[in-house]
Amino acid sequence: MKIAITTWFHYQNYGTALQVYALSTFLNNQGNDVDVVNYIPDGQVVSLPQEKMIVNYLEKIKKKIVSRKNSVIELSDKSDKFNDFLTNIRFTNRCSCISDFEMLNGKYDVFIVGSDQIWSPLSYDVRYFFDYINNPGKLISYAPSIGVNSIQDKYIEKNMKKYISRFNKISCREKVGAEMIGKLVERDIEEVVDPTLLLSASEWKQELKLKQTEKQYLLVYFLGTNKKYWEKVYEVSKILNLSLKIIPVYEKDKMRAGVIDESIGPREFVEYFYNASFVCTDSFHGTAFSLIFNKKMLVFERFSNKEKENQNSRIYNILSKFNLKNRLYNESTYQHEIMEEINYQCVNEILTKERKKSENYLLNAIEAAGGSEIDKDNSVDRRNTPCCGCGACQYVCPVQAIKMDNSCGFKKASVNRKICLNCGKCVNVCPFIGRQESKKICDGKLLSYKDNDRAVLLRSSSGGIAYRIAYQGIISGCYIVGCKFNKEQLKAETILIKDKESINELQGSKYLQSSNFNQIIKKVQDADKNIILFGTPCQIAGIKKIFGDKKDIIYVDLICHGVPSQSVMSKYFEYLKRKYGFVKKNTDILFRDKKYGWEKRYISVFQEGKIYSEEKKKDPFYRLFESGFCYSNACYECRWRDKSNADIRIGDYWGGRFKGDASGVNMVVVMSQKGAMLIDEIKDYGQCENQNIMDYLSNQQTENVHKPVFYDSIISDLENESISIEEIISKYVLPIEKQIATERTLRKVKNKVQSLNILSRGIRNE
């Protein structure tokens, strides 16, 4: 069987590296062909703040102070040893966004998630629930850990239920986790052992070529920082008359007597447990390897039981499973317990039984999943890649089986299964499927541009480059494709213009998804002149998959953060109607009104003598748009944050270089020779200067933001006619705005207190 495993591997944590090694080794030894999905998560979960915001933030500060006092050791040779160890594992190509993950479909017979705390709600990540796999029959979980006793966030709980319910076979590492998941998905969940326990002591010795030493020692491996525990370790060392060997975790550990000076990789970590006479640890995997090698041990609780989200259940579970609860540190009995022998004959019998049960679960699950039918459907709507509404698939469909529907305020392709030929032409042109011929932004040439015509600047969102490109195109005999705001329907529309007088329609930002980009493709095909085509990066990528690098088309894409649901505009206009008396007729919106300057972003609405104007921090449309909570699904999986398929990329020149400029400056990234020739033709219309590409990489969004865990809820509320835009902001946006403001205030207070303390110490020292 070809098997793909997804789990953590990138943290320089011994247990993390060893559990993925153990699972892949076990499966390979069973005759399977195993890869690990090469995914390194980044960013934090985007969720609504819990109650007691200030208390929670102060707790964060406390933890940060503790972590500064206990800084983790960072050594390059330790990193080298981890990297060398991971060469024993075969990885897939690097996966960053869902388009990369989607390509794994069809390559593997079985997909396994596990182990480690990848299902912990504290570090929720949808990728570890195989949201990208089309056939749920291929999904198996092996020993993922929940890590906590309850799921506090209702949105995370809802998402976990949604994705875990898809799995064919489900298991968990701990009893508490199995019970929680079982209740969540209303199924019986198998409790299995950690992957490290799937390999016997002799197998670990053989696989890692462990060497035996004669010297006896007490091995210490603490992930916590409890001073009392260290005192007890020294007492145990004296009682047992054993010298200490300490695997250091924090910088201050290097000062302890008995610390191991050499850098320790995963292999060396196992070898120290293999040779130890006694072990003191608060680590789950430290406990696991003590069991594997039949070591006497004393296990400590890493977390305080007063912490709501403590993770001690992992330790309790493994000790309870092997009838070793008495090895958990107890102040009144520990001196007696350390002198007692552990009945490892009994422990090993349990371990053999549990290992066999876990092996049977895993092998039977693989056999069942591997026999599931391969999804041979070759159309865009049977995949998990998001739709950006570009319409490329609709254009190439030979039987017109595809149309662009409205779905929750976004354009989305739908396929008529009755007439679909399953020919795959739609898949071939989808910008989110397959490999892309994109160029890296860092390989482009960065320019700044500011037009000399003040009237052009006033109507443009920034420096007027889009107007000037369109103007030059028209006078050179080209047609221009760009986006205008439809004043009657309050929508963004893509149009083709042929004269200078129409360029004004294209000026300014339109913070909405084009409602008809799919309809412009045929006009581009039928055009009898050269085309300059403006669009978002995904639109350009889609249309370029149809027309390629034709000499008669110049592609210009926009620096884009995301497009909000059209429902945001609908709610917004209801607000304008209710509060200010606007009617849905001939309404013009300047999404970036420069009357107060370029950097002060105002939105202004005009209608037959009525004018509404508000800054972005107070305007409901802007607050929802800038929150990033209601973008298209495709925006959270964008493939072009740091890449482009266009000849030119344009946007605002944010950053410090033009700070204070009142009328706006453009960033222009030249990506091709065609783009360079066009810019050369217009540069004398304004101030056009070479700049360092680092300005782009430092000041523009080059990575995707995380989709909030409450995304489905906010999109649903936007579709609900009975819920106002103010209510939506109050429910989703305001709590996070308050959290950010509170954290900012508390940081200032903390910094002032620190400054006063430093000043006070200085005065006392004089």
Side-chain angles (χ1 to χ4, degrees):
M1 295 276 190
K2 281 190 68 65
I3 298 175
I5 299 171
T6 189
T7 186
W8 292 339
F9 63 85
H10 56 289
Y11 302 114
Q12 290 194 1
N13 174 287
Y14 299 112
T16 296
L18 290 163
Q19 60 86 19
V20 65
Y21 172 83
L23 185 56
S24 59
T25 298
F26 172 80
L27 292 172
N28 278 318
N29 289 346
Q30 299 296 319
N32 299 295
D33 190 9
V34 182
D35 291 335
V36 174
V37 178
N38 190 355
Y39 169 56
I40 299 177
D42 63 330
Q44 294 181 322
V45 177
V46 180
S47 191
L48 296 178
Q50 302 296 310
E51 295 178 4
K52 301 180 181 178
M53 185 191 304
I54 294 178
V55 173
N56 291 340
Y57 184 70
L58 290 174
E59 188 63 33
K60 277 186 187 178
I61 292 176
K62 180 181 175 182
K63 287 181 179 179
K64 283 183 179 179
I65 292 170
V66 170
S67 67
R68 283 187 189 134
K69 290 180 180 178
N70 300 290
S71 55
V72 177
I73 293 172
E74 294 183 9
L75 296 171
S76 59
D77 47 351
K78 178 184 175 183
S79 297
D80 291 341
K81 287 190 174 182
F82 267 86
N83 292 334
D84 288 344
F85 182 78
L86 291 177
T87 60
N88 295 302
I89 299 167
R90 194 174 69 193
F91 290 92
T92 66
N93 291 329
R94 179 71 182 273
C95 295
S96 298
C97 59
I98 201 165
S99 298
D100 305 324
F101 291 97
E102 171 72 32
M103 287 188 278
L104 300 178
N105 283 285
K107 291 185 178 180
Y108 297 94
D109 303 300
V110 179
F111 295 86
I112 299 175
V113 59
S115 174
D116 225 330
Q117 295 184 69
I118 50 173
W119 278 7
S120 169
L122 304 182
S123 52
Y124 171 78
D125 188 328
V126 70
R127 294 290 110 95
Y128 294 117
F129 295 84
F130 284 131
D131 66 318
Y132 52 90
I133 298 303
N134 300 326
N135 185 350
K138 294 179 174 293
L139 304 184
I140 298 170
S141 75
Y142 184 80
S145 174
I146 307 299
V148 292
N149 295 320
S150 62
I151 303 172
Q152 300 292 320
D153 191 301
K154 66 178 182 179
Y155 298 108
I156 290 176
E157 183 179 52
K158 184 178 179 180
N159 289 343
M160 287 178 67
K161 178 178 181 178
K162 171 184 173 182
Y163 289 112
I164 294 174
S165 296
R166 298 175 69 234
F167 276 69
N168 184 20
K169 298 290 183 180
I170 308 172
S171 68
C172 278
R173 193 176 71 183
E174 284 90 31
K175 183 179 180 180
V176 171
E179 290 173 350
M180 286 171 59
I181 295 300
K183 185 177 179 181
L184 193 65
V185 300
E186 299 177 345
R187 286 165 61 179
D188 291 332
I189 308 300
E190 193 86 26
E191 184 186 345
V192 294
V193 298
D194 186 81
T196 55
L197 297 172
L198 288 175
L199 302 182
S200 66
S202 60
E203 286 173 317
W204 277 110
K205 181 180 178 181
Q206 180 180 341
E207 292 289 344
L208 298 186
K209 298 179 174 57
L210 303 179
K211 297 176 182 177
Q212 195 160 10
T213 60
E214 298 296 327
K215 189 175 180 181
Q216 294 189 331
Y217 56 85
L218 188 158
L219 182 66
V220 186
Y221 179 56
F222 278 158
L223 295 172
T225 57
N226 192 314
K227 291 181 181 179
K228 180 182 175 182
Y229 291 171
W230 280 104
E231 293 172 4
K232 299 306 173 186
V233 163
Y234 295 129
E235 286 183 20
V236 172
S237 172
K238 288 180 181 179
I239 293 170
L240 299 178
N241 194 28
L242 289 172
S243 61
L244 289 175
K245 281 192 180 292
I246 299 168
I247 297 176
V249 175
Y250 304 102
E251 284 291 337
K252 67 180 182 181
D253 290 341
K254 294 195 294 187
M255 307 301 293
R256 301 184 191 278
V259 69
I260 300 168
D261 291 328
E262 67 173 353
S263 291
I264 302 170
R267 183 201 162 277
E268 293 79 15
F269 175 86
V270 176
E271 193 167 69
Y272 276 111
F273 277 87
Y274 174 64
N275 285 297
S277 302
F278 195 98
V279 175
C280 287
T281 187
D282 62 359
S283 154
F284 172 86
H285 284 103
T287 306
F289 279 101
S290 299
L291 284 169
I292 291 168
F293 296 125
N294 288 187
K295 301 301 176 182
K296 293 176 69 174
M297 60 179 158
L298 187 61
V299 181
F300 296 78
E301 294 167 308
R302 179 181 168 192
F303 301 92
S304 167
N305 285 320
K306 293 179 181 179
E307 293 182 48
K308 186 185 293 186
E309 296 173 339
N310 84 77
Q311 300 168 32
N312 290 330
S313 62
R314 299 174 298 157
I315 292 292
Y316 301 153
N317 189 80
I318 192 171
L319 293 177
S320 177
K321 186 187 291 287
F322 296 100
N323 294 331
L324 292 173
K325 287 191 286 186
N326 64 328
R327 308 313 293 187
L328 187 67
Y329 167 76
N330 182 297
E331 173 65 30
S332 59
T333 62
Y334 82 95
Q335 292 189 10
H336 170 71
E337 298 298 344
I338 63 174
M339 301 304 294
E340 277 199 351
E341 293 293 329
I342 295 175
N343 184 353
Y344 266 111
Q345 181 179 349
C346 179
V347 170
N348 289 336
E349 286 175 1
I350 297 172
L351 178 54
T352 300
K353 179 182 175 182
E354 290 293 330
R355 181 184 290 138
K356 189 65 179 175
K357 185 184 82 167
S358 299
E359 287 177 1
N360 288 339
Y361 160 80
L362 186 53
L363 297 177
N364 290 336
I366 289 171
E367 184 178 359
S372 63
E373 192 174 326
I374 296 175
D375 186 0
K376 296 180 180 179
D377 199 292
N378 201 21
S379 60
V380 289
D381 69 336
R382 291 296 177 90
R383 295 167 182 261
N384 291 295
T385 41
C387 178
C388 66
C390 70
C393 56
Q394 182 184 30
Y395 179 79
V396 300
C397 180
V399 292
Q400 298 181 331
I402 300 176
K403 63 178 182 177
M404 304 306 294
D405 286 336
N406 289 310
S407 175
C408 297
F410 300 105
K411 287 291 182 179
K412 185 177 180 180
S414 65
V415 180
N416 184 337
R417 312 306 310 169
K418 293 180 181 179
I419 60 175
C420 174
L421 301 176
N422 204 33
C423 65
K425 289 185 177 180
C426 57
V427 171
N428 292 336
V429 297
C430 177
F432 281 88
I433 297 176
R435 299 290 175 192
Q436 280 287 325
E437 299 301 322
S438 304
K439 299 173 185 175
K440 293 181 179 179
I441 293 296
C442 61
D443 294 331
K445 179 182 179 182
L446 181 65
L447 305 169
S448 59
Y449 180 85
K450 184 182 184 71
D451 205 86
N452 290 331
D453 189 327
R454 183 161 180 78
V456 169
L457 286 173
L458 191 61
R459 186 70 185 177
S460 301
S461 291
S462 45
I465 188 68
Y467 174 90
R468 195 52 65 189
I469 288 173
Y471 180 86
Q472 183 63 29
I474 291 291
I475 65 174
S476 300
C478 299
Y479 294 150
I480 308 299
V481 172
C483 192
K484 78 165 190 175
F485 183 72
N486 185 315
K487 300 177 183 180
E488 299 296 326
Q489 298 183 23
L490 304 178
K491 293 181 178 180
E493 289 182 348
T494 302
I495 60 172
L496 184 147
I497 64 170
K498 302 179 179 181
D499 54 73
K500 291 185 290 185
E501 290 71 29
S502 301
I503 297 176
N504 288 341
E505 293 187 69
L506 306 181
Q507 280 190 276
S509 298
K510 275 73 63 174
Y511 292 139
L512 295 167
Q513 183 186 42
S514 172
S515 61
N516 69 329
F517 191 84
N518 56 305
Q519 297 170 16
I520 208 70
I521 300 176
K522 190 172 189 314
K523 291 184 179 181
V524 172
Q525 173 70 59
D526 296 340
D528 56 357
K529 291 186 178 182
N530 291 354
I531 297 279
I532 297 178
L533 196 154
F534 292 84
T536 61
C538 52
Q539 290 171 340
I540 296 298
I543 202 167
K544 197 172 181 181
K545 273 199 167 186
I546 297 172
F547 299 121
D549 282 311
K550 290 179 66 175
K551 292 182 180 179
D552 57 353
I553 303 177
I554 294 178
Y555 302 97
V556 182
D557 70 6
L558 312 172
I559 297 174
C560 175
H561 298 284
V563 292
S565 167
Q566 182 66 33
S567 301
V568 176
M569 176 54 69
S570 299
K571 293 283 186 192
Y572 183 57
F573 195 80
E574 289 171 10
Y575 164 83
L576 293 174
K577 179 181 177 181
R578 180 169 22 92
K579 296 273 287 187
Y580 303 102
F582 282 84
V583 294
K584 195 173 182 179
K585 179 182 177 182
N586 197 28
T587 304
D588 194 13
I589 299 181
L590 277 181
F591 291 88
R592 294 275 298 280
D593 191 346
K594 286 185 180 176
K595 64 181 177 181
Y596 297 110
W598 169 46
E599 295 176 317
K600 293 181 179 179
R601 293 186 221 176
Y602 273 73
I603 185 170
S604 295
V605 185
F606 307 90
Q607 186 184 90
E608 296 179 354
K610 289 189 179 71
I611 299 176
Y612 162 87
S613 188
E614 188 57 270
E615 64 169 317
K616 68 173 186 176
K617 291 181 180 179
K618 296 180 181 179
D619 178 73
F621 178 89
Y622 246 122
R623 288 173 74 185
L624 269 173
F625 171 64
E626 295 237 319
S627 73
F629 298 158
C630 48
Y631 292 159
S632 163
N633 269 307
C635 302
Y636 302 104
E637 301 290 348
C638 180
R639 307 177 78 177
W640 303 277
R641 297 291 179 200
D642 60 350
K643 302 178 186 69
S644 175
N645 284 49
D647 299 295
I648 301 169
R649 172 166 290 186
I650 62 174
D652 289 278
Y653 207 119
W654 299 129
R657 190 174 300 279
F658 296 101
K659 188 173 179 62
D661 187 283
S663 51
V665 182
N666 276 114
M667 270 192 179
V668 183
V669 187
V670 179
M671 303 299 298
S672 73
Q673 186 61 35
K674 278 196 296 184
M677 291 172 64
L678 176 57
I679 295 300
D680 195 54
E681 291 175 9
I682 67 171
K683 63 183 181 181
D684 292 337
Y685 285 102
Q687 303 160 46
C688 188
E689 299 175 353
N690 292 326
Q691 303 293 351
N692 191 324
I693 195 66
M694 285 304 299
D695 279 4
Y696 186 104
L697 302 177
S698 301
N699 298 298
Q700 300 293 355
Q701 182 185 336
T702 56
E703 294 180 351
N704 285 320
V705 296
H706 284 246
K707 184 165 73 172
V709 296
F710 51 82
Y711 180 79
D712 290 345
S713 181
I714 190 172
I715 293 297
S716 176
D717 285 355
L718 283 167
E719 293 296 293
N720 190 331
E721 293 182 1
S722 66
I723 300 176
S724 69
I725 196 168
E726 295 101 319
E727 290 173 298
I728 291 172
I729 288 170
S730 178
K731 183 177 179 180
Y732 301 103
V733 180
L734 185 59
I736 292 183
E737 287 179 344
K738 283 184 175 180
Q739 181 185 40
I740 293 170
T742 300
E743 291 180 355
R744 188 180 295 121
T745 300
L746 289 172
R747 274 197 299 271
K748 288 179 180 178
V749 171
K750 182 187 72 172
N751 292 337
K752 281 187 178 180
V753 170
Q754 288 176 340
S755 298
L756 288 171
N757 286 340
I758 292 169
L759 179 62
S760 176
R761 285 197 298 271
I763 292 171
R764 287 199 303 270
N765 291 335
E766 285 185 356

